């Protein structure tokens, strides 16, 4: 391009430098000025025009940017600078297919250009066109015979087989993988294999075809030893297991464990191989040697005896061997010893480590309930702390905590009477305060207090009491205790998570939001841990406040999507084949994350509910959402559950906890909730599109009507199916259990009837059906019922406030918010319909009267339709005013006991108690007042919207 402008390359770069520099520091306006200044001198300088387009894009002037970039692209540039700038723009706009077109045109003009071909290959990588990748890679290899390009073509063939459109067909998969193997075999025969990543790729191809013997021979051969000396040991494990070569695996693991004596993963594989060897010699004896389990026990004992310092690995392995032998009904006690004694020995050695609880918990399910509780009692005695004594040092404190946690896991606390549980709670508080004051001084800001776990355990105990009595006072007291702990130990995320859960349980969104911000969740945690807050926000009573949380979450997903594509491109550039599939799986899991999809849908519903501008502004905002009613963009069968449910620590009785089942039930129900919300959004969008479509031509209107009718049918069918499925609410037996999903709320509230009747109203208004008046009456009745439900819920809340204002608070807030959500969407729809009918009646030309009328019912005139619509708007205005009056009278939640009573029970430092309990109570009051203010503002906006 420099030659086209009559400039030398250095001069060309120097004149563009100010534009690049300003873009790099984010000074986009100055970059635009610099590019325009340069274009005044050199109007045909393509790179400057591309940079101008990038500046406009970053300034938010999208139409101007699109025109500028389109003009440059039509010139079919071939210079690297212009192509790179255009690529950057299209990546920001997520128009990756246009980058492919750019480089295809450039390659046609310079067929052998290595740089252009490499960029074309990477552009195909971004759009996952594996067939095109392979063709370009081979073209590259012919132009420049480098190993990297050859293996680009090999990996492209592999991905055609395992990820391409034909990957579901076993015969096609076999063909592609066979081709990839032959390509590498040819390279090996020619002596051209050079790097460890190439060796890894060949091993991976063999394993994908289940050719484990060939893979083993290659892995243990000279070429692999030369190229890939650092091959992970796990590869050998995997291949030996697949080949059933248990003896060699057993010997290999013994060597590895001798070298690294604390590898729990190696121990598990070693024990598994010992059991497999036992199956091969049923009599237990071979050539006079001891059986494999006896050798395994001797090996473990030797490691324990010969280790210079105590390591957890061999002790845990011995417990695992004992457990596995009992499961196989083998004489474990005779060979290894008494199980309880082994656990107690482990406790003596490692009880002062926080991991000890969950180490021992691994083996508790293998013994009976009676044996568990007897073991828990022995551990409590072993800790050396009694009801009349306190821990003497940090180690004894940690052992006492471990024993108490094991005791709860064994179910020892569940059958205690209420007064015993209260006494236990008081003891836990005293232990916490003693541990904090004695051992918790001068801690770093990032350290957790040594006795914090006492308070966490106390909160769980108080939840048990609250659930028994269906009262909130015990749990409120526990919340105050947790806030006290948080003041002393600001980095304890376990306390923050439990506090967040309790605030949500009581419907206190201000407290929950404070805890969520205090957790400072970032990056990938927004996906894995965001569920603790984001999934509980919808229908919580704060539509506008929720949007900020969704924005932060969605920003991570959209930004990281672009980054993930670049990571995959980099794995090709650096030929790191071992990371390729990992990055691709990661990209798919995030793209199809339930958290991401649910937040996207809820954010759009929030926007529609919260619209407060004039009709033009509201419709502009709606158009910007780009909702396609006819297209379901969610890949339902690929939705990924990325939640880290182990983030909140738990010590609940093992026989009452089924974490896998709880995860399955909650995920299934969350998907069903997403089905309802997504379909509701699309159905409502079809209402708007019927009156606000492009041009509203007859054909378009007909297509929109068909879409609406199909979505309406899906809507009623979805609710019928869900009622037949008979989902049960999630169990709430323990504090750590997930809170119930919104599924049952959505089924109990009149969502189905409300939107079904709205669909018929929209269709009748459009066609002028003779049954329009009847449908208006039906919709009006739904509005009255929804308003009455809202008012009744608030009245019930006020009435129960004298007894306990918190225990049922969350459910009451959800019902009120759901009612207002339906009425707000209805108000938005009426404003759109009214605007369309008003415009239509003004622009409609008068027609000459027709003498011969067609038989049958005539469509209702637009004037009558407009009058009916005005009546619906007047009715809605009155009902919204009634809701506003009720919300204005909604009382803040009142505790079942007064604050002074709580202060006497807290038994913390007197100077702390008053401010602590007062602050928590104030948080509940602030949350209520903020919610009432937001809901009233929402209603004022809707009343203004329909007051035409």
């Amino acid at each position: 391009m420099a030659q086209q402008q009559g400039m030398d390359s250095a001069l060309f770069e120097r004149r563009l430098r100010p534009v690049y520099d300003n873009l790099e520091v984010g000074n986009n306006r100055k970059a635009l000025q610099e590019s325009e200044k340069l274009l005044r001198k050199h109007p045909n300088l393509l790179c400057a025009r591309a940079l101008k387009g990038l500046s406009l894009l970053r300034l938010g002037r999208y139409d101007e940017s699109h025109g500028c970039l389109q003009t440059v692209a039509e010139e079919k540039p071939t210079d690297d600078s212009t192509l790179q700038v255009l690529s950057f723009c299209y990546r920001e706009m997520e128009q990756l297919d246009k980058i492919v077109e750019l480089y295809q045109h450039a390659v046609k003009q310079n067929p052998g250009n290595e740089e252009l071909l490499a960029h074309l290959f990477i552009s195909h990588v971004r759009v996952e066109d594996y067939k095109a990748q392979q063709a370009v890679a081979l073209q590259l290899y012919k132009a420049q015979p480098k190993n990297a390009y050859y293996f680009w073509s090999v990996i492209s063939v592999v991905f055609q087989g395992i990820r391409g459109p034909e990957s579901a067909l076993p015969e096609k998969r076999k063909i592609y993988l066979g081709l990839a193997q032959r390509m590498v075999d040819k390279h090996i025969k020619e002596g051209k294999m050079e790097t460890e990543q190439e060796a890894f790729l060949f091993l991976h191809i063999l394993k994908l075809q289940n050719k484990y013997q060939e893979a083993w021979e290659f892995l243990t051969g000279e070429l692999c030893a030369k190229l890939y000396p650092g091959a992970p040991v796990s590869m050998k494990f995997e291949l030996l297991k697949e080949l059933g070569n248990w003896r060699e695996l057993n010997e290999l693991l013994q060597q590895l464990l001798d070298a690294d004596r604390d590898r729990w993963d190696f121990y598990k594989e070693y024990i598994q191989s010992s059991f497999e060897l036992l199956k091969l010699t049923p009599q237990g004896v071979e050539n006079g040697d001891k059986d494999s389990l006896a050798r395994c026990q001797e090996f473990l004992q030797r490691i324990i005896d010969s280790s210079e310092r105590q390591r957890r690995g061999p002790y845990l392995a011995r417990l695992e061997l004992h457990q596995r032998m009992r499961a196989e009904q083998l004489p474990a006690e005779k060979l290894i010893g008494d199980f309880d004694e082994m656990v107690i020995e482990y406790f003596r050695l490692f009880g002062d480590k926080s991991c000890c609880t969950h180490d021992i918990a691994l083996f508790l399910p293998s013994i009976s309930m009676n044996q568990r509780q007897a073991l828990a009692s022995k551990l409590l005695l072993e800790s050396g702390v009694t009801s009349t004594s306190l821990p003497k040092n940090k180690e004894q404190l940690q052992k006492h905590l471990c024993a108490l946690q094991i005791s709860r896991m064994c179910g020892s606390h569940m059958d205690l009477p209420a007064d015993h549980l209260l006494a236990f709670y008081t003891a836990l508080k005293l232990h916490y305060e003693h541990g904090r004051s004695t051992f918790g001084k001068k801690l770093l800001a990032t350290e957790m207090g040594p006795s914090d776990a006492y308070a966490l355990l106390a909160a769980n105990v108080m939840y048990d009491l609250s659930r028994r009595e269906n009262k909130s006072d015990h749990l409120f007291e526990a919340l105050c205790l947790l806030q006290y702990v948080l003041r002393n130990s600001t980095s304890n995320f376990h306390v923050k998570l439990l506090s967040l859960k309790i605030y949500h349980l009581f419907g206190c969104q201000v407290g929950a939001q404070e805890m969520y911000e205090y957790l400072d969740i970032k990056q990938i945690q927004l996906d894995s841990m965001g569920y603790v807050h984001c999934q509980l926000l919808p229908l919580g009573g704060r539509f506008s406040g929720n949007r900020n949380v969704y924005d932060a979450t969605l920003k991570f997903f959209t930004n990281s999507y672009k980054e993930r594509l670049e990571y995959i491109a980099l794995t090709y550039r650096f030929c790191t084949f071992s990371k390729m599939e990992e990055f691709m799986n990661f990209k798919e899991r995030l793209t199809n994350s339930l958290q991401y999809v649910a937040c996207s849908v809820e954010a759009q519903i929030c926007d529609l509910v919260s619209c407060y501008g004039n009709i033009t502004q509201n419709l502009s905002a709606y158009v910007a959402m780009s909702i396609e009613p006819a297209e379901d963009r969610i890949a339902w069968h690929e939705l990924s559950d990325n939640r880290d449910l182990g983030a909140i620590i738990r010590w609940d009785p093992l026989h009452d906890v089924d974490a896998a089942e709880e995860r399955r039930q909650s995920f299934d129900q969350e998907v069903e909730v997403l089905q309802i919300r997504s379909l509701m959004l699309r159905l409502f969008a079809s209402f708007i599109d019927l009156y606000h479509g492009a041009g509203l031509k007859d054909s378009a209107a007909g297509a929109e009507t068909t879409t609406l009718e199909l979505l309406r049918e899906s809507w009623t069918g979805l609710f019928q199916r869900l009622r037949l499925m008979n989902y049960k609410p999630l169990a709430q037996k323990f504090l750590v259990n997930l809170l119930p999903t919104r599924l049952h709320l959505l089924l109990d509230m009149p969502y189905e009837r409300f939107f079904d009747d709205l669909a018929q109203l929209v269709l009748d208004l459009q066609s002028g059906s003779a049954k329009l008046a009847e449908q208006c009456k039906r919709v009006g009745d739904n509005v009255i019922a929804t308003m009455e439900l809202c008012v009744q819920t608030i009245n019930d809340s006020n009435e129960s406030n004298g007894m306990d204002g918190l225990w049922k608070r969350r459910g009451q807030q959800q019902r009120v918010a759901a009612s207002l959500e339906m009425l707000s969407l209805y108000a938005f729809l009426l404003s759109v319909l009214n605007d369309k009918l008003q415009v239509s009646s003004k622009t409609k030309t008068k027609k000459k009267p027709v003498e011969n009328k067609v038989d049958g019912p005539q469509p209702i005139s637009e004037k009558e339709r407009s009058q009916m619509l005005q009546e619906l708007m007047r009715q809605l205005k009155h009902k919204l005013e009634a809701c506003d009056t009720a919300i204005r009278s909604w009382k803040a939640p009142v505790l079942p006991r007064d604050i002074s009573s709580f202060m006497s029970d807290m038994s913390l430092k007197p100077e702390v108690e008053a401010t602590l309990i007062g602050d928590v109570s104030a948080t509940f009051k602030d949350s209520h007042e903020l919610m009432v203010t937001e809901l009233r503002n929402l209603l004022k906006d809707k009343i203004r919207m329909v007051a035409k």
Side-chain angles (χ1 to χ4, degrees):
M1 189 182 82
Q3 287 77 6
Q4 292 173 4
Q5 303 302 325
M7 301 163 59
D8 98 340
S9 182
L11 180 63
F12 162 67
E13 289 294 336
R14 193 167 65 250
R15 292 193 175 179
L16 285 173
R17 179 52 50 196
V19 188
Y20 283 118
D21 290 343
N22 283 297
L23 283 169
E24 191 172 345
V25 297
N27 194 346
N28 301 316
R29 194 170 300 281
K30 181 67 174 172
L32 178 61
Q33 292 169 358
E34 292 287 348
S35 60
E36 287 177 333
K37 186 168 82 173
L38 186 57
L39 283 169
R40 281 194 288 273
K41 291 183 180 179
H42 304 282
N44 297 321
L45 196 58
L46 289 182
C47 190
R49 282 157 64 189
L51 287 168
K52 178 183 176 181
L54 179 56
S55 305
L56 290 167
L57 178 66
R58 291 189 173 173
L59 286 167
R61 292 158 64 176
Y62 301 115
D63 291 339
E64 295 174 68
S65 171
H66 178 267
C68 187
L69 296 173
Q70 185 65 26
T71 306
V72 177
E74 286 171 358
E75 295 281 336
K76 298 180 181 177
T78 57
D79 65 291
D80 188 58
S81 301
T82 306
L83 290 169
Q84 290 282 20
V85 174
L86 287 175
S87 297
F88 205 79
C89 293
Y90 290 137
R91 285 210 300 275
E92 285 199 10
M93 293 189 290
E94 296 183 21
Q95 297 177 349
L96 302 178
D97 53 322
K98 290 191 175 180
I99 303 177
V100 176
E101 293 174 16
L102 274 178
Y103 281 103
Q104 281 176 336
H105 290 312
V107 166
K108 280 181 183 176
Q109 296 176 61
N110 296 281
N113 188 304
E114 181 184 3
E115 189 76 14
L116 292 177
L117 282 168
H119 280 299
L120 177 59
F121 177 84
I122 296 300
S123 69
H124 284 306
V125 168
R126 292 193 188 99
V127 296
E128 296 183 344
D129 187 345
Y130 303 120
K131 193 171 184 179
Q133 281 178 216
Q134 182 199 359
V136 174
L138 288 174
Q139 195 176 344
L140 257 171
Y141 186 65
K142 287 177 183 175
Q144 292 289 334
K146 296 178 182 177
N147 257 22
Y149 300 148
Y150 187 81
F151 280 92
W152 281 6
S153 68
V154 173
I155 195 68
S156 300
V157 173
V158 172
F159 284 147
Q160 281 184 74
I162 63 176
R163 291 178 176 273
E166 301 171 317
S167 59
L169 303 171
E171 61 276 9
K172 290 287 184 182
R173 176 187 170 96
K174 185 178 178 181
I175 289 170
Y176 283 121
L177 291 175
L179 172 60
Q181 183 184 341
R182 289 195 298 276
M183 289 174 76
V184 182
D185 280 336
K186 178 175 179 290
H187 222 56
I188 292 172
K189 286 176 184 174
E190 294 172 357
K192 293 181 180 178
M193 189 176 272
E194 296 173 351
T195 68
E196 67 174 39
Q197 286 296 312
E198 293 165 7
F200 168 84
L201 180 58
F202 185 53
L203 283 167
H204 188 57
I205 292 168
L206 292 171
K207 284 192 286 184
L208 286 171
Q209 298 177 88
N210 300 330
K211 295 182 177 180
Y212 301 114
Q213 186 60 44
E214 289 182 45
W216 176 254
E217 289 169 3
F218 179 75
L219 182 62
T220 53
E222 290 182 14
L223 181 60
C224 190
K226 176 186 171 185
L227 298 178
Y228 199 11
V233 178
S234 57
M235 275 192 177
K236 289 188 176 180
F237 289 175
E238 187 182 340
L239 290 174
L240 287 171
K241 282 164 69 176
E242 292 292 347
L243 293 169
N245 195 341
W246 300 107
R247 185 165 298 284
E248 191 168 346
L249 176 59
N250 191 271
E251 292 169 359
L252 172 65
L253 285 162
Q254 283 193 20
Q255 295 169 16
L256 292 168
L257 285 168
D258 267 327
D260 189 351
R261 300 188 167 195
D262 215 18
R263 286 293 297 268
W264 174 232
D265 54 340
F266 288 1
Y267 281 115
K268 288 198 291 185
E269 296 285 359
Y270 175 63
I271 291 169
Q272 173 67 24
S273 67
S274 297
F275 273 92
E276 293 294 339
L277 283 174
L278 189 67
K279 291 177 187 176
L280 297 177
T281 56
Q283 290 75 28
V285 178
E286 183 183 47
N287 300 328
D289 291 339
K290 293 181 180 179
D291 67 64
S292 59
L293 297 186
R295 290 197 300 274
C296 177
Q297 157 63 9
E298 285 181 1
F299 175 73
L300 295 177
Q301 193 61 47
R302 180 171 64 78
I303 285 186
I304 290 172
D305 295 339
S306 62
S307 295
E308 294 178 4
R309 64 183 182 87
Q310 304 295 346
R311 300 171 188 270
R312 290 163 54 226
Y315 288 92
L316 284 173
R318 202 169 56 169
L319 286 167
E320 175 72 11
L321 178 61
H322 200 291
Q323 180 177 254
R324 290 285 304 272
M325 286 185 71
R326 281 183 284 114
E328 299 285 341
Q329 298 182 342
L330 296 170
E333 194 166 326
K334 181 181 175 183
L335 178 66
I336 309 171
D338 182 69
F339 179 76
D340 284 13
E341 288 299 322
M342 290 166 61
V343 172
I344 291 169
E345 182 187 4
Y346 186 83
F347 180 76
R348 284 184 192 134
L349 292 169
F350 307 107
D352 58 344
K353 294 179 169 54
S354 58
C355 59
C356 183
T357 300
H358 292 283
D359 286 348
I360 293 175
L362 292 172
F363 308 104
L364 292 177
S366 67
I367 58 177
S368 67
M369 283 297 298
N370 290 336
Q371 194 178 348
R372 287 183 209 179
Q373 296 191 357
L375 178 61
S377 301
K378 292 177 185 176
L379 293 180
L380 276 170
L381 282 174
E382 188 66 34
S383 70
V385 180
T386 65
S387 57
T388 58
S389 64
L390 292 168
K392 297 173 184 176
N393 50 48
K394 275 188 180 181
E395 289 72 24
Q396 193 175 32
L397 181 145
Q398 185 57 54
K399 282 191 173 185
H400 184 227
L401 272 171
C402 177
L404 287 174
Q405 291 159 2
I406 290 292
S407 183
R408 180 174 174 83
M409 286 178 147
C410 294
S412 302
H413 305 158
M414 301 315 296
D415 299 326
L416 292 177
D419 55 341
H420 285 205
L421 277 179
L422 277 173
F424 181 45
Y425 168 73
T426 304
L428 290 170
K429 280 192 301 182
L430 293 173
H431 276 296
Y432 165 73
E433 190 60 37
H434 167 262
R436 188 193 69 80
S437 58
T438 310
F439 312 115
K441 299 293 185 182
K442 298 180 181 178
L443 294 176
L444 297 175
T446 52
E447 285 186 280
M448 296 185 191
S451 62
D452 288 358
Y454 283 120
L456 294 170
L457 198 55
N460 281 278
V461 169
M462 289 302 252
Y463 176 81
D464 297 342
L465 262 175
S466 286
R467 187 172 172 275
R468 277 191 202 179
E469 299 175 5
N470 282 329
K471 286 171 62 180
S472 63
D473 53 348
H474 297 303
L475 193 53
F476 179 84
E477 188 179 339
L479 177 61
C480 293
L481 175 63
L482 291 174
Q483 295 308 294
Y484 176 60
V485 175
L486 208 48
R487 292 183 181 188
N488 302 321
S489 183
T490 55
S491 296
N492 195 324
F493 68 92
H494 296 300
V495 176
K496 296 173 191 176
L497 285 168
L498 267 195
S499 300
L500 173 69
K501 172 71 188 294
I502 296 171
Y503 274 126
H504 269 302
L505 186 66
F506 288 151
C508 179
Q509 290 222 12
V510 166
Q513 184 64 33
E514 283 178 3
M515 286 298 108
Y516 185 68
E517 290 170 359
Y518 204 5
L519 277 165
D520 197 23
I521 288 176
K522 293 177 180 175
Q523 298 299 324
I524 192 63
Q525 289 178 324
L526 289 165
D527 185 34
S528 63
M529 289 181 62
Y531 75 94
V532 296
H533 189 55
C534 291
Q535 289 184 353
L536 303 172
L537 287 178
L539 302 184
R542 291 190 59 198
F543 295 100
S544 56
N546 296 348
R547 195 59 171 91
N548 296 329
V549 181
Y550 295 141
D551 283 343
T553 304
L554 293 173
K555 185 179 179 182
F556 156 71
F557 281 104
T558 51
N559 289 345
S560 67
Y561 178 76
K562 298 167 189 173
E563 292 169 6
R564 295 192 300 271
L565 288 174
E566 294 313 306
Y567 294 154
I568 294 169
L570 286 172
T571 60
Y572 278 97
R573 287 192 183 278
F574 295 106
C575 295
T576 48
F577 304 121
S578 56
K579 291 293 177 186
M580 241 173 232
E581 203 151 3
E582 183 182 330
F583 278 132
M584 286 187 166
N585 291 334
F586 180 64
K587 179 180 78 73
E588 287 174 8
R589 283 181 68 79
L590 282 190
T591 304
N592 297 313
S593 167
L594 177 67
Q595 170 82 343
Y596 171 46
V597 180
C599 282
S600 303
V601 171
E602 293 297 343
Q604 289 182 313
I605 293 174
C606 258
D607 286 345
L608 288 173
V609 169
S610 305
C611 278
Y612 59 87
N614 59 41
I615 185 64
T616 305
Q617 293 169 330
N618 291 344
L619 285 173
S620 297
Y622 166 76
V623 170
M625 292 182 197
S626 303
I627 305 169
E628 292 290 343
E631 181 185 354
D632 187 358
R633 298 171 178 171
I634 300 173
W636 294 101
H637 297 295
E638 296 174 17
L639 283 176
S640 177
D641 183 2
N642 299 339
R643 296 172 298 172
D644 178 9
L645 296 188
I648 305 181
I649 196 167
R650 73 186 303 165
W651 306 293
D652 299 320
L654 295 176
H655 62 281
D656 274 342
V657 173
D658 188 345
E661 179 62 17
E662 184 184 15
R663 172 185 282 276
R664 187 193 64 77
Q665 286 182 11
S666 69
F667 181 69
D668 288 348
Q669 291 189 29
E670 289 292 356
V671 171
E672 300 291 16
V673 168
L674 180 60
Q675 289 258 22
I676 294 174
R677 303 293 279 176
S678 169
L679 191 53
M680 184 183 86
L681 180 65
R682 292 169 58 213
L683 180 62
F684 185 79
S686 72
F687 300 164
I688 306 298
D689 285 359
L690 190 60
Y691 284 83
H692 189 256
L696 282 180
K697 297 175 183 176
D698 291 341
S699 59
E704 297 293 353
T705 303
T706 304
T707 299
L708 192 157
E709 289 171 342
L710 288 171
L711 289 172
R712 181 188 178 190
E713 188 179 330
S714 299
W715 177 253
T716 54
L718 174 60
F719 278 87
Q720 288 171 9
R721 178 179 68 77
L722 290 174
R723 290 193 171 90
L724 288 173
M725 294 289 288
N726 195 27
Y727 283 103
K728 299 288 187 286
L730 299 180
Q732 297 299 291
K733 193 163 187 178
F734 303 110
L735 178 57
V736 179
N737 288 134
L738 293 165
L739 280 172
T741 65
R742 285 168 290 143
L743 181 61
H744 293 86
L745 174 77
L746 295 172
L747 292 174
D748 292 342
M749 294 293 289
Y751 274 92
E752 179 187 7
R753 184 176 69 253
F754 194 91
F755 285 97
D756 184 42
D757 287 340
L758 270 188
Q760 190 60 52
L761 174 70
V762 169
L763 290 169
D764 287 351
L765 271 171
Q766 197 249 358
S767 64
S769 168
K771 294 183 179 180
L772 180 58
E774 181 184 335
Q775 191 61 26
C776 286
K777 171 74 168 55
R778 190 175 289 114
V779 169
D781 290 344
N782 289 343
V783 170
I784 294 169
T786 305
M787 179 276 296
E788 289 175 347
L789 182 61
C790 175
V791 172
Q792 184 60 46
T793 302
I794 292 171
N795 291 338
D796 291 345
S797 174
N798 289 339
E799 286 174 14
S800 64
N801 221 13
M803 297 175 286
D804 189 345
L806 285 179
W807 192 245
K808 296 182 179 178
R809 181 74 179 184
R810 179 172 178 263
Q812 291 164 342
Q813 287 179 186
Q814 285 187 327
R815 294 176 80 81
V816 171
S819 301
L820 296 187
E821 179 181 80
M822 288 187 279
L823 295 178
S824 297
L825 290 172
Y826 177 52
F828 180 80
L829 175 63
L830 287 184
S831 69
V832 172
L833 297 177
N834 182 62
D835 179 69
K836 181 62 184 177
L837 285 176
Q838 294 291 339
V839 171
S840 181
S841 61
K842 288 176 185 175
T843 57
K844 195 171 180 69
T845 56
K846 291 184 179 180
K847 293 183 180 180
K848 293 180 181 179
V850 182
E851 294 180 8
N852 299 323
K853 291 186 177 179
V854 181
D855 294 336
Q858 298 300 307
I860 296 174
S861 69
E862 289 198 355
K863 183 178 179 181
E864 289 178 278
R865 288 183 237 173
S866 183
Q867 289 172 349
M868 290 180 186
L869 199 58
Q870 291 288 339
E871 180 57 35
L872 287 175
M873 293 174 77
R874 277 193 294 272
Q875 180 200 39
L876 177 59
K877 178 174 176 289
H878 293 316
K879 300 311 170 191
L880 291 174
E881 288 170 346
C883 289
D884 183 55
T885 303
I887 289 173
R888 193 166 62 244
S889 69
W890 200 355
K891 297 175 185 175
V894 178
L895 298 169
R897 291 193 287 156
D898 59 22
I899 289 180
S900 61
S901 173
F902 278 113
M903 287 171 65
S904 64
D905 283 347
M906 286 296 289
S907 65
L908 300 173
K909 289 185 176 181
E911 66 272 18
V912 171
E913 288 170 354
T915 57
L916 182 69
I917 301 173
D919 287 351
V920 175
S921 300
T923 301
F924 280 89
K925 186 180 177 184
D926 292 346
S927 182
H928 172 79
E929 290 175 353
L930 185 58
M931 180 188 68
V932 166
T933 301
E934 284 200 17
L935 292 180
R936 290 197 66 200
N937 287 338
L938 177 73
L939 286 169
K940 285 175 186 174
D941 292 335
K942 302 312 163 194
I943 290 168
R944 189 168 56 249
M945 191 179 282
V946 296
K948 302 293 184 184

